[in-house]
Amino acid sequence: MADTADYAATFALVDTDGDGLICAQELASLMRNLGDQTTDEQATEVVRAMDSDGDERISLEEFASYMSRNQN
Ligand SMILES: [Ca+2]
Ligand SMILES: [Ca+2]
């Protein structure tokens, strides 16, 4: 089970408008800030991959469970 507190700080960095959900636009602007030429379409794909309830936004819980699944 994911410990969401471990991911809250990272999540807050991506959630630039602070509404508690990461949308594709926020993810795309983060990736561009990191120097990645991510298109809005690519960001949407990533959001869909992490989104488990189908609202096309990433909640902290979805973020934490995705990150912990992908940890070695
Ligand atoms: Ca947001
Ligand atoms: Ca969601």
Side-chain angles (χ1 to χ4, degrees), residues 12-64:
L13 285 179
V14 188
D15 179 24
T16 48
D17 68 0
D19 68 352
L21 294 165
I22 294 170
C23 60
Q25 286 78 10
E26 286 170 337
L27 194 65
S29 62
L30 172 82
M31 297 307 284
R32 289 183 199 125
N33 286 342
L34 294 173
D36 211 281
Q37 297 304 312
T38 303
T39 65
D40 287 348
E41 277 155 19
Q42 287 169 326
T44 302
E45 290 297 306
V46 174
V47 167
R48 288 202 179 126
M50 296 172 77
D51 180 26
S52 58
D53 66 1
D55 66 356
E56 301 200 349
R57 306 267 188 288
I58 303 163
S59 66
L60 176 56
E61 281 167 19
E62 288 167 346
F63 183 76

